[in-house]
Amino acid sequence: MNTYFADFHIHIGRTKTGKPVKISGAKSLTLSNLIHDASEVKGLNMIGVIDAHVPEVMEEMRELVAEGKVEAQADGGLRFKNVTVMLGSEIEIYDESCSGPFHVLVYFPDLDTMKQFSDWLSGHMKNITLSSQRYYGTGRRLQEKTEQLGGLFVVAHAFTPHKGLYGSGVVKSLVEVLDPDRIDAIELGLSADSGMADHLSELHRYPYLSNSDAHSLAKMAREYETLNLKAPTFAEWRMALRKEEGREITANYGLNPRLGKYHRTMCNHCFEIIEDDNGSECPFCGFRRITKGVADRLAEIADHTGVTNERPPYIYQIPLEFIPKLGPKTLERLRQRFKTDMAILHEASEVELQEIVSGEMADAIIKARHGKLAVRSGGAGRYGKVDRS
């Protein structure tokens, strides 16, 4: 078995011809830039491109295969240098049984299967050329189609307040909108960790994914997981999610949830934490828009305490770009020496780091590696902060 770094939720900002895919995504977040940086800058071994249903994105993938720059794997996935690309799609469901939309992720092993899915999806969606669009149909029907095509079905950023299944404030259980037997994994999102998610007993049966939901190249791998596999392929990933024959997720690496944009309930104007949310107005400034935090929402619907024993460790890790005073030039020097961000965060010793940066910065990187830098909670769409002290 080998260990692989994986981030299965990365968007396409623009196509090769400049057409928008994820409208809020960076223009530089093209397929070619994405796979290059994932392999050569971030040091990831497996990624999920979750706008692969878009016809122009699929066509560009086929061109890369034809040019010999990308190789289709027999067991699923497309190989580029040191990274395998999993073909995914983020979809917005507005089920009649609930009053708020939520996002899911589906993945397929190869381009031909993704083409079949995209053709089917175009009959249930107004604009197949954009990311995260509204799907007209039930969640259960989407699950059936995914299973029929041999795909994987994941609940995306399950607890975030706007497009998370539980975060909408309406859905309290998966069974209200989905078939629990056709869910392959739960994505935690930036404002939750394994311990928080395990407060819901119905989630104990599922593996948890820590993904970046990157809208820019820099945000890739801000959360990720390590997997034990024989090879970085779709078939092996499926086995890991099912814990078959020694394949498994071995660790989740993520932000301290307090750094997430929606960890605590906050006022959208003054950004004060609201401990007792009456749902009407901010007690500090009177503003009438308050965003329910993930921690507070989970406290409302929790039916269990503690973490299940089978969970891999959830390791708090602060991304390099979050570290105070670590600017672009310093980061570039580190990358020139250690090659990738994964090498900086997992392999470089403090002594080796001090050859490139100050002792104070080397200490900060080591603390970031283990999530030991002090942080302040985020909420209402604003990230938490790493204290400079």
Side-chain angles (χ1 to χ4, degrees), residues 190-191 256-267 271-273 291-296 375-386:
L190 304 183
S191 297
N256 183 320
R258 294 174 61 196
L259 285 172
K261 293 167 69 174
Y262 301 107
H263 182 62
R264 292 302 311 275
T265 299
M266 280 189 179
C267 172
F271 293 100
E272 290 286 346
I273 295 176
T291 299
K292 175 76 71 175
V294 169
D296 303 300
V375 300
R376 287 175 281 162
S377 293
R382 189 168 70 172
Y383 287 109
K385 292 185 180 294
V386 178

Side-chain angles (χ1 to χ4, degrees), residues 140-339:
R140 289 181 175 85
R141 178 67 186 108
L142 181 60
Q143 288 179 287
E144 290 171 2
K145 188 64 180 180
T146 302
E147 183 178 79
Q148 176 189 338
L149 293 173
L152 295 171
F153 187 96
V154 177
V155 178
H157 42 74
F159 313 105
T160 53
H162 301 301
K163 299 295 173 69
L165 187 147
Y166 295 103
S168 66
V170 177
V171 175
K172 294 183 179 180
S173 172
L174 292 169
V175 299
E176 296 175 40
V177 288
L178 296 172
D179 179 349
D181 293 330
R182 288 191 167 107
I183 297 171
D184 293 288
I186 304 294
E187 183 183 65
L188 295 170
L190 304 183
S191 297
D193 59 21
S194 301
M196 293 170 65
D198 270 347
H199 287 354
L200 301 181
S201 58
E202 70 176 358
L203 298 184
H204 292 179
R205 63 189 286 193
Y206 304 112
Y208 294 152
L209 297 178
S210 300
N211 298 325
S212 68
D213 193 358
H215 288 45
S216 67
L217 295 170
K219 293 294 191 292
M220 289 193 298
R222 59 182 170 179
E223 295 203 340
Y224 55 95
E225 49 269 332
T226 52
L227 301 98
N228 257 16
L229 309 171
K230 282 193 173 180
T233 67
F234 186 89
E236 289 279 319
W237 180 33
R238 183 195 296 275
M239 292 177 71
L241 295 180
R242 297 174 179 177
K243 296 189 73 172
E244 295 176 343
E245 300 179 26
R247 283 78 162 178
E248 61 181 342
I249 298 171
T250 54
N252 294 83
Y253 289 86
L255 302 177
N256 183 320
R258 294 174 61 196
L259 285 172
K261 293 167 69 174
Y262 301 107
H263 182 62
R264 292 302 311 275
T265 299
M266 280 189 179
C267 172
N268 286 53
H269 178 67
C270 69
F271 293 100
E272 290 286 346
I273 295 176
I274 299 173
E275 299 288 353
D276 185 17
D277 175 22
N278 61 16
S280 58
E281 64 180 37
C282 173
F284 299 97
C285 71
F287 195 66
R288 291 184 176 273
R289 189 178 173 192
I290 296 168
T291 299
K292 175 76 71 175
V294 169
D296 303 300
R297 170 61 176 159
L298 277 168
E300 292 176 351
I301 60 177
D303 66 350
H304 186 270
T305 58
V307 181
T308 61
N309 294 329
E310 311 82 45
R311 292 279 175 224
Y314 190 102
I315 299 169
Y316 291 160
Q317 192 173 88
I318 294 171
L320 295 170
E321 65 166 359
F322 275 55
I323 299 175
K325 302 179 183 178
L326 201 170
K329 292 182 179 179
T330 302
L331 182 54
E332 184 57 31
R333 291 203 309 272
L334 287 166
R335 285 170 174 166
Q336 287 176 358
R337 169 65 172 81
F338 300 106
K339 306 305 181 187

